[in-house]
Amino acid sequence: MSSATTDGTTTGRLRGKHALVTGAASGIGRAVATRFAAEGAHVVFADRDLPGADRAVAELPAGLAGTATAVQVDVTDEDSVAAAYARVLAGTGPLDVVVANAGVQLFGHDAPVADLDLDVWRRTIDVNLTGTFLTVKHAVRAMRGRTDGRRGGSIICTGSPTGLNGEGRDFTAYSSSKAGVHGLVRTVAAAYAADGVRVNTVVPGYTETPLVTAISGDAASRAAIVSRTPLGRAGTPADVEGIMVYLGGDEATFATGAIFRVDGGMTSL
């Protein structure tokens, strides 16, 4: 199965690969998983919301029928993560690409550090950092244990400008969790490069998804954040797909431990 580019040509850049994307029931995760399927991969849509993941699979374009499955996973629970990987490896086969994308941003609760409740900190860290850690941990185990003659694979983590600059000064827990993801990626990339496991971070800018309705639904807040984006507009999930395809494919075999920014120039300021 190949996908169509804007000029009508086809690519199929992930043909024959097996991929798993967390947080794939909606937003960036759903867009990336759908694009992976269009690029020829067999994709596992993984999410705590299994009905949502099933719906995302069922709503794939007709030509992609049979290229995807859904699996339920709670990324904060290691037993759930391990079981999901075991199911995927037994059913789909060895994984070539894993996207650790599941995340939360607790608008109305996250706050500057002096005002932040410990429970909000823990809930955010559990999903965004511990969840990424568990997803990456079991991805590395799966990729190092391949028995199909291939070597390693590509792990992609979703970061945030808030982990790079002062953009998230009012979101202490979220910003800290994403900074932790950036550090985790560098460490894992260095530790497993010799095994052929590549690990990179993609940093979307302000991207309008169900995660950020607190901003997108408030005209003043939306205008303020767009004004800090040099390209002058909000991002969409489609803006993130291309770099994920590149990192998951064979063109990126020399890329690891890096941060790829797709943020409209926000962190260039």
Side-chain angles (χ1 to χ4, degrees), residues 234-250:
T236 70
D239 291 318
V240 187
E241 297 169 13
I243 192 65
M244 295 277 195
V245 171
Y246 166 73
L247 290 172
D250 295 334

Side-chain angles (χ1 to χ4, degrees), residues 155 182-190 193 197-201 247 254-260:
I155 300 171
H182 299 168
L184 174 68
V185 165
R186 290 191 295 269
T187 300
V188 178
V197 177
R198 298 183 293 107
V199 194
N200 292 285
T201 306
L247 290 172
F254 203 54
T256 196
I259 293 176
F260 292 82

Side-chain angles (χ1 to χ4, degrees), residues 1-236:
M1 175 64 62
S2 298
S3 66
T5 63
T6 55
D7 64 1
T9 60
T10 57
T11 57
R13 293 162 71 188
L14 300 181
R15 184 181 291 110
K17 294 187 182 296
H18 294 160
L20 180 148
V21 181
T22 67
S26 64
I28 289 174
R30 178 172 178 169
V32 168
T34 300
R35 175 68 180 274
F36 278 11
E39 293 285 352
H42 186 287
V43 187
V44 178
F45 286 61
D47 205 289
R48 185 173 63 178
D49 174 13
L50 182 58
D54 281 331
R55 187 162 51 250
V57 171
E59 293 175 358
L60 286 170
L64 301 181
T67 63
T69 55
V71 66
Q72 186 171 41
V73 62
D74 178 352
V75 297
T76 69
D77 180 342
E78 185 161 19
D79 288 342
S80 176
V81 174
Y85 273 95
R87 178 179 170 188
V88 169
L89 294 174
T92 303
L95 284 165
D96 302 287
V97 188
V98 170
V99 180
N101 171 75
V104 297
Q105 188 166 6
L106 301 179
F107 289 98
H109 301 281
D110 206 346
V113 67
D115 303 313
L116 180 64
D117 289 342
L118 178 59
D119 179 61
V120 174
W121 169 271
R122 285 175 170 159
R123 286 162 59 198
T124 305
I125 295 297
D126 276 353
V127 176
N128 293 356
L129 185 53
T130 302
T132 298
F133 155 69
L134 291 173
T135 303
V136 171
K137 172 182 176 178
H138 288 274
V140 169
R141 287 184 173 182
M143 290 174 179
R144 293 181 77 202
R146 299 182 70 137
T147 58
D148 61 343
R150 297 185 183 182
R151 181 170 176 269
S154 173
I155 300 171
I156 308 164
C157 298
T158 303
S160 169
T162 65
L164 297 173
N165 61 13
E167 184 65 32
R169 63 185 182 180
D170 294 327
F171 299 97
T172 302
Y174 184 81
S175 303
S176 300
S177 71
K178 290 301 186 177
V181 168
H182 299 168
L184 174 68
V185 165
R186 290 191 295 269
T187 300
V188 178
Y192 295 101
D195 296 298
V197 177
R198 298 183 293 107
V199 194
N200 292 285
T201 306
V202 170
V203 176
Y206 168 63
T207 304
E208 294 194 328
T209 71
L211 185 69
V212 297
T213 53
I215 296 175
S216 61
D218 181 274
S221 296
R222 185 180 187 279
I225 197 166
V226 169
S227 73
R228 299 194 297 277
T229 304
L231 284 181
R233 67 170 176 86
T236 70

Side-chain angles (χ1 to χ4, degrees), residues 246-268:
Y246 166 73
L247 290 172
D250 295 334
E251 298 165 294
T253 55
F254 203 54
T256 196
I259 293 176
F260 292 82
R261 309 182 193 205
V262 189
D263 62 3
M266 178 179 283
T267 55
S268 68

